[in-house]
Amino acid sequence: MSLVQSVDNVALLPAYLAAGTAVVVLLADLLVARAAATVAVAAVGAVATAVGAAVVGAGSERRTFCVGGDCSWLFNGRAALVAAVFALLTLGVLALSGPLLRAGRTPVGEYCFLLACAMTGGVVLGAAGDLITLIVALETLTLPLYVLVGLRRGSLASAEAAVTFFVVSVVATTLTLLGAALLYAVTGGLHLDRLGATLAERPELLDLPLTTVAVALVVLGLAFKVAAVPFHAWAPATYDGAPLPVAAYLSTASKLGGVVALLAVVQRALPATVTGPVLALLAVLTMTVGNLVALRQRRTVRLLAWSSVAQAGYILAPLGALALAAGRTADARAGAYAAAVAYAIFFVVLELAAFAAVVALRPADADGGTLDDLRGAARRHPWVGGAFALALIGLAGLPPGLAGLFAKVTVVRSLLDGHAGWLALVVAVNAVLGLAYYLRLAAGLWAAPDAAARPAGADRPAGARPATSVGLALAVATLVAVVVGFAPQLLLDLVAR
């Protein structure tokens, strides 16, 4: 038997493009030493990665790094969608970063390099076929974010947020690696499909306490990355202390990475009889705690952070249907997985639009401020305020935010198909709770400004226009949300591939 494996370089093309972007960004920063050129290289690399993923994913599934029938790299339609979304999110965050980089407190070369490295981790994550590749890809996505959170020089809040994020994330990674090691001890394999097949063929392994502990550690470790309750405490402080564009990346790309990793192990490797009840409990706690705490927030980014915790609960909810036997049929499982991925993509588009609006309304290099700082902002900047309100209404799941409405309908439908009507009811009640703070923030954008409560310079002056790159990112994110809202089946078809 030959020990030399053939490598399908076409299947690896998106990863090559993403990693190559990071290298070329470093060279551009070293040789050209112009901020505009460095950002342009990163932007072109992100576009090339998205295009490469779409081209490779348009064909049949491609596999490489295989031993027998077990492969560590599987690039199919869903992997292509994940890679393209990560690349486009990176491009969007680069656009939002224009004012921050021009302010001069953040090194441009390092900033773009770290974003490109995080993008590489996201691209690899979607195609990972074994636990080691999955965990390494997730850490490649996360490690640069530790530095990005604390990259704003002279900011104590930024440094504290970076340390908080680092410590909690290291603990989460340790739990996941320990769970992976215990799974290997039980089954003798690490490939996701092999793990699933072994546990299905040998049900007696599920009776071992070691198996239960291993599965629990993997699920709980990945729940940290999704910011699911009770593993969520790092998210609000980290988001609020990070620069606004980095907070946007944390709330979208980082959360999407955790969702993709969790879906990969739940769908292909771990037994639904064990993961289903755990995920149902996590979903209920996450959406309920996130919404209740968000009601009390007065800082803009903290409100968006707690709302993203609640949104993670909605993403996990379809997987909670696996707790019931009716939710484990082939059709019900396929519907649950598709609903979770679709909701995650609906969410990141709307969340990116919301953060883009906050960046557009706030001074360069400023934090998100308080809700009072944004009071009356739509009167001074009507187009930005309108886009912000549309994103908030979409996150709440109300028309005309059709993307958010169809996202919640998709989740509820998948739960009803899995006979988890009680969990669908919890989703509906929490959606009503979410209306209170989303609509309060949206209404405040048109309220009469309170000059006494709002300090001078709290938001962008009335005559000042948002940076062109920020306005473009906001316009594109809003347009994508509108298009997806009118044609949600296109996304659902892509996810189901």
Side-chain angles (χ1 to χ4, degrees):
M1 176 180 171
S2 175
L3 297 180
V4 179
Q5 296 182 357
S6 61
V7 177
D8 185 351
N9 290 295
V10 174
L12 294 168
L13 179 61
Y16 290 157
L17 290 170
T21 299
V23 174
V24 176
V25 162
L26 275 183
L27 294 176
D29 186 51
L30 175 66
L31 301 177
V32 181
R34 294 182 59 185
T38 303
V39 174
V41 168
V44 170
V47 172
T49 302
V51 172
V55 170
V56 177
S60 57
E61 182 180 75
R62 306 187 75 102
R63 297 171 170 239
T64 192
F65 300 130
C66 299
V67 177
D70 300 323
C71 299
S72 295
W73 184 272
L74 301 91
F75 204 86
N76 51 25
R78 184 177 293 184
L81 177 63
V82 170
V85 169
F86 272 109
L88 294 176
L89 284 175
T90 304
L91 181 63
V93 170
L94 277 172
L96 298 186
S97 304
L100 175 70
L101 298 178
R102 280 194 294 272
R105 295 175 62 191
T106 303
V108 177
E110 289 89 333
Y111 187 90
C112 294
F113 169 73
L114 291 168
L115 273 181
C117 289
M119 176 179 69
T120 304
V123 170
V124 174
L125 186 61
D130 63 67
L131 275 176
I132 299 303
T133 303
L134 187 82
I135 295 171
V136 169
L138 190 58
E139 289 310 299
T140 304
L141 169 65
T142 306
L143 279 171
L145 299 179
Y146 304 152
V147 185
L148 284 171
V149 169
L151 203 57
R152 189 167 54 183
R153 295 168 179 161
S155 173
L156 179 60
S158 182
E160 290 176 346
V163 172
T164 301
F165 186 30
F166 173 75
V167 172
V168 174
S169 193
V170 166
V171 172
T173 303
T174 303
L175 290 178
T176 309
L177 285 171
L178 178 58
L182 295 180
L183 277 176
Y184 180 76
V186 171
T187 64
L190 285 172
H191 289 88
L192 299 178
D193 293 329
R194 174 61 59 188
L195 283 170
T198 300
L199 292 174
E201 293 168 0
R202 300 178 60 190
E204 70 274 9
L205 294 178
L206 299 180
D207 297 328
L208 298 175
L210 188 61
T211 305
T212 303
V213 171
V215 171
L217 287 174
V218 171
V219 172
L220 297 181
L222 295 178
F224 272 101
K225 304 295 186 180
V226 185
V229 174
F231 315 107
H232 65 290
W234 62 271
T238 302
Y239 289 19
D240 201 25
L244 276 175
V246 177
Y249 202 72
L250 280 168
S251 187
T252 55
S254 178
K255 190 174 291 291
L256 179 63
V259 170
V260 170
L262 191 58
L263 276 172
V265 297
V266 170
Q267 181 177 6
R268 297 164 56 190
L270 303 183
T273 53
V274 179
T275 59
V278 174
L279 292 170
L281 178 61
L282 286 178
V284 171
L285 288 175
T286 301
M287 68 179 84
T288 304
V289 172
N291 280 320
L292 290 176
V293 180
L295 289 171
R296 302 182 57 196
Q297 300 306 306
R298 291 296 179 266
R299 290 189 60 81
T300 307
V301 172
R302 280 186 177 268
L303 186 148
L304 291 175
W306 281 105
S307 79
S308 76
V309 170
Q311 298 288 345
Y314 300 135
I315 294 171
L316 295 177
L319 305 180
L322 301 176
L324 303 175
R328 298 183 203 131
T329 64
D331 289 342
R333 287 171 67 109
Y337 301 139
V341 176
Y343 193 102
I345 294 175
F346 281 125
F347 162 72
V348 299
V349 172
L350 293 167
E351 188 81 349
L352 183 64
F355 269 99
V358 175
V359 173
L361 293 171
R362 298 288 292 156
D365 200 26
D367 60 16
T370 65
L371 301 186
D372 289 334
D373 294 335
L374 296 180
R375 189 176 179 86
R379 296 182 176 215
R380 298 180 290 276
H381 308 281
W383 290 107
V384 176
F388 193 10
L390 181 63
L392 293 172
I393 291 170
L395 289 169
L398 290 178
L402 296 180
L405 175 62
F406 282 118
K408 285 187 170 55
V409 169
T410 300
V411 166
V412 171
R413 184 177 63 186
S414 70
L415 290 172
L416 294 178
D417 289 343
H419 294 189
W422 66 272
L423 191 48
L425 180 61
V426 174
V427 169
V429 171
N430 273 278
V432 174
L433 281 176
L435 295 179
Y437 57 84
Y438 283 126
L439 294 183
R440 182 186 67 193
L441 177 53
L445 296 174
W446 276 273
D450 186 350
R454 205 179 88 255
D459 69 349
R460 195 178 296 277
R465 299 178 60 185
T468 303
S469 62
V470 176
L472 183 61
L474 177 59
V476 171
T478 304
L479 179 62
V480 171
V482 171
V483 170
V484 172
F486 278 104
Q489 194 59 42
L490 294 177
L491 178 59
L492 291 172
D493 290 341
L494 281 174
V495 169
R497 287 184 59 188

